[in-house]
Amino acid sequence: MDRQKNVERLRQELFDICIIGAGASGAGAALDAALRGYRVALVDRGDFSGETSARSTKLIHGGVRYLEQAVKNFDLAQLKQVRHGLAERRTVLRNAPHLAHPLALLTPVFSAFEGLYISIGLQLYSFFARHDSFPQGRWLSKKEAFAKSPMLTPRMHSAVLYYDGQLNDARYALALTHSADEAGAAVANYVAVTGFDKKDGMLTAATVQDELTGETFTIRAKLFLNCTGPYSDAVRLLANPTLDRRIRPSKGVHIVLPRETLNSDCAILIPKTSDGRVVFAIPFEDKVFVGTTDDDYRDLNSEPVLEPAEVDYLLETLQPYLAKTPDRSAVQSGFGGIRPLIVSSRADTKTLLRDHEVEHDPQSGLLSLLGGKWTTYRLMAQDAIDRVGEILSQTAKGSTETHYLVGGENYRFDDWATLQSRYNLPADVCQHLMRTYGTRAERVAQLTHEQPELAERLTDNQPFIAAEVVYQVRQEMAMTPRDVLARRWRLELADWQLTAQITPKIAHLMATELGWSDTQSREQITAYQNLLASFRKRAGLSSFVSEIMLY
């Protein structure tokens, strides 16, 4: 992805559709539209998947909670969500097998009745997913449960096992964007929409600012699609100030603990909490993510961050399910996201439907894709682009259900051994490259032949190498250290201190590629390290070791 060329296209071309927001739904819509032959622009005011789409629980699922509510309340809408979610779960895993895979989840239970109740529910869940190749779930004895997850509490009676999907959310959204670019879309990050031009009240162009250079220009399009998630109302009101607000933002946070917290490849589903939520403890790479919360969020101008009360809540929720519960000192990082819940008459955000809606404003012509969740991003995008075809009187059939994303086609994880033999890289590095870039992994490894110094590991206890940063700048439009460390890798989510420690190395590599001066490099390093330190302070955790603050 070449940002300079794409920005020039945005300036010059007339597009059929300009999509605002490059998270899961926006990137998915851009790919769908480009594959149908539309002329597509995709822009985001920040990095690709820089907000909600990169801060999920990393699960692809039909929704066990929705199934329970559907059965209890005879709610066919909830049941429909479960069926759609399970169908899309299969597609998400198929189209990017390097970024998504099945995940075993255990639900510890404390009585035979509770085990029977949950087991019946998950059997129904498996029935709706019967066309999948996922392993079958079952009710485990206490001994069997300990064999799979040895850190569970000895007070449990037994446990119920089932399977859902897990994905690397930020890289999956990036793969959608990259695939859209290769299908012909003009995509660019750090391009913020600041206003619209209109003719007879209808949108004809968007005024945008390049956040990296400060330059302003216009993007001309026949139709504009708003895919900005929790920020959708801001774009809707920019296009038509008379519209009512439709989004009720909800904040969800996760804390991150060492892998040894579970010492297992199985996640834990905590089916009931003191306030009626569902919480997961999920192994992800070498960490465990615990979340999520669900609370109203008002300050959309501020990044959602981990607060002390949220840390305490999640640790307390985990406590009854483990033999030994970590304390606050074990928390290595955390992250918050904002769900884009559609306004309804229901009482609180835990019961709001997370289905989606394609809204067309006849006064301005703006389309808005509202609500939804990661699992059904492709259906959301398909519905939106179907509507685009109707409005433009230019219909074409979608093909995303069977379209492999960048790095996904012909992927075989075992090819890491071939990579190792060709490039003489460590086994863990080659495995990491395959899981991160799929069949594009060799393009990263090839850089180490051209410049042997790029084979250097950037930290002893992680498989990241310098060649990846160069590749991410050249091919994946990484423009800041945070783009690399928070999204193209997931290190910011996993370990704030280690992220701050290696930021100078990342900035040095990026400076060479992007032509930064020493002053610009120092500014990038200082700003990011200060941000990471502020996250830790806001969460009420101890400060970083001072020696890592190099600038």
Side-chain angles (χ1 to χ4, degrees), residues 250-254 277 279 291-295 310 313-314 339:
S250 169
K251 178 187 178 186
V253 302
H254 296 75
R277 298 169 179 167
V279 169
T292 178
T293 57
D294 197 347
D295 299 289
E310 295 164 335
Y313 168 81
L314 290 172
R339 300 181 185 88

Side-chain angles (χ1 to χ4, degrees), residues 66-79 346:
Y66 303 141
L67 177 63
E68 183 179 28
Q69 292 177 1
V71 172
K72 282 184 175 180
N73 303 323
F74 300 101
D75 190 335
L76 293 180
Q78 296 273 14
L79 191 59
R346 300 189 182 209

Side-chain angles (χ1 to χ4, degrees), residues 1-2 6 9-10 13 15 17 19 21-43 48 171-188 377 381 385 399-400 403-407 440 475 477:
M1 295 190 292
D2 188 313
N6 282 355
R9 287 186 60 194
L10 295 175
E13 295 181 21
F15 297 95
I17 176 173
I19 300 169
S25 60
L31 175 60
D32 191 318
L35 292 175
R36 298 193 203 197
Y38 296 115
R39 292 168 295 178
V40 182
L42 173 67
V43 296
F48 306 122
R171 285 210 64 91
Y172 205 105
L174 177 66
L176 288 167
T177 303
H178 202 158
S179 300
D181 177 275
E182 294 193 353
V187 308
Y377 86 86
I385 304 306
S399 59
T400 52
H403 185 82
Y404 284 104
L405 303 186
V406 163
R440 301 290 172 97
Q475 301 293 330
M477 218 178 282

